[in-house]
Amino acid sequence: ALVPPNAPRLVRFLFDAHGYELFELGEFNADPHPGNVMYDEASGVVSLIDYGQLISVTEADRVHYARLFLAMEARDADTALEAFARLGQEFTYKPTGEKNPREETLAVAKFHFGGSAGIAEGLETFGFDSLADAMGPKMTELFEITSFGAEYAMVQRMGFCLNGVGQNLGTGGISQAKLLSPAAARFLAARGLKRTYE
């Protein structure tokens, strides 16, 4: 397939569309892989198909996702850690026995939503040599996951799929948090909510 003109603009559009779904509609397609994105070169129309993995998100959780993504971009560790916990994510870091320790939790969030740079930082933080290490037995040696919500996994999947579209268009490695941040900021601003917890 030919790469459409202005691939970065198309990827930005796709993240904006899915950010709108997540934050404004409270329902999003968790499976926007390249096969579910249609682009008509003649008209420039983008069509999104196959909403078989339509996920609903509560208003409260949308606030937490918005704060998480914006905090990651602003390097606001306190807000990112709070949002991660409020989204029901909890693990014990076995080397220390601590639940959601600061550095390791930030590395996990970056691994999930920080694009290739976030993945690289996560691998370095935990001493993994490859993604296979992060997905295999070495992970269970470091982490005991006590809470990992299905909805969170699907938001993560949405970001990974969109990143995959970017890969196919030559704009891969982008930070999902960064590209979802404009929609997150609009969501909070429209409701008069702060980017941090009080």
Side-chain angles (χ1 to χ4, degrees):
L2 295 174
V3 173
N6 204 336
R9 184 174 174 215
L10 175 57
V11 172
R12 166 74 66 185
F13 168 80
L14 291 172
F15 271 95
D16 285 347
H18 287 81
Y20 178 81
E21 290 177 358
L22 173 62
F23 292 112
E24 294 303 327
L25 302 180
E27 293 185 324
F28 67 94
N29 179 15
D31 194 30
H33 61 73
N36 287 339
V37 178
M38 298 172 59
Y39 177 74
D40 181 355
E41 263 192 289
S43 66
V45 171
V46 177
S47 300
L48 306 175
I49 63 170
D50 189 359
Y51 275 65
Q53 291 187 24
L54 186 66
I55 307 299
S56 297
V57 185
T58 66
E59 179 92 6
D61 279 353
R62 284 183 271 164
V63 171
H64 303 319
Y65 285 116
R67 287 179 173 157
L68 175 64
F69 298 151
L70 290 166
M72 287 175 65
E73 281 308 292
R75 300 185 184 277
D76 175 358
D78 292 335
T79 299
L81 291 168
E82 182 75 15
F84 187 85
R86 290 193 186 206
L87 285 165
Q89 306 311 299
E90 183 181 276
F91 65 90
T92 299
Y93 189 56
K94 290 180 179 179
T96 63
E98 191 178 351
K99 287 193 185 299
N100 288 11
R102 185 181 185 88
E103 181 183 346
E104 289 78 9
T105 301
L106 290 172
V108 167
K110 289 176 184 175
F111 191 90
H112 291 164
F113 297 110
S116 58
I119 290 172
E121 188 172 328
L123 294 176
E124 182 179 346
T125 298
F126 301 117
F128 294 143
D129 294 324
S130 66
L131 277 174
D133 284 350
M135 305 298 180
K138 287 188 177 182
M139 186 192 78
T140 57
E141 292 171 11
L142 293 181
F143 300 99
E144 180 185 345
I145 298 171
T146 49
S147 178
F148 188 83
E151 173 196 287
Y152 181 95
M154 297 311 261
V155 173
Q156 179 187 5
R157 176 178 168 70
M158 175 192 74
F160 281 159
C161 284
L162 291 173
N163 224 333
V165 174
Q167 278 297 118
N168 286 339
L169 297 174
T171 60
I174 45 187
S175 165
Q176 300 94 308
K178 180 176 185 170
L179 289 178
L180 290 168
S181 284
R186 287 190 296 270
F187 169 79
L188 293 176
R191 288 155 181 77
L193 298 173
K194 295 182 178 180
R195 295 183 178 206
T196 59
Y197 295 97
E198 297 180 1

